[in-house]
Amino acid sequence: MKIDFNKNDNELLVCIDGRLDTITAPELESFLGEHYVGVDSLIFDCKELDYISSAGLRVLLRGQRMMSEKGGMVITN
């Protein structure tokens, strides 16, 4: 899995490339823990995502919970 991101003021765009599964989900979770401070809008671009397992979905749900008290989260593509 490859993670590209763009943080612009209070918006974080995260582009996921490859597989988001049991092996790579902790990497995305760690990434979010490091970068979500000060973010009011979280956007996941899944255009290049080939596969997502339940472990990957769990990380996205955690992201949504983190953002629920802020601006929110969007999943695109």
Side-chain angles (χ1 to χ4, degrees):
M1 177 184 70
K2 180 180 173 189
I3 302 171
D4 288 323
F5 73 98
N6 184 8
K7 191 170 184 180
N8 186 10
D9 294 327
N10 61 346
E11 180 180 275
L12 178 61
L13 171 64
V14 181
C15 301
I16 306 168
D17 186 349
R19 296 175 57 91
L20 181 53
D21 55 22
T22 304
I23 295 169
T24 59
E27 180 183 347
L28 181 59
E29 189 167 24
S30 175
F31 171 86
L32 291 176
E34 294 173 14
H35 291 91
Y36 93 100
V37 175
V39 171
D40 290 331
S41 178
L42 177 60
I43 303 167
F44 285 103
D45 185 342
C46 299
K47 182 177 182 180
E48 300 298 324
L49 185 63
D50 296 325
Y51 173 81
I52 185 167
S53 72
S54 60
L57 289 172
R58 198 169 14 254
V59 174
L60 295 183
L61 286 171
R62 285 186 186 136
Q64 191 276 330
R65 285 187 197 121
M66 289 187 316
M67 299 309 298
S68 66
E69 297 176 6
K70 298 181 178 189
M73 183 184 96
V74 175
I75 299 174
T76 64
N77 295 315

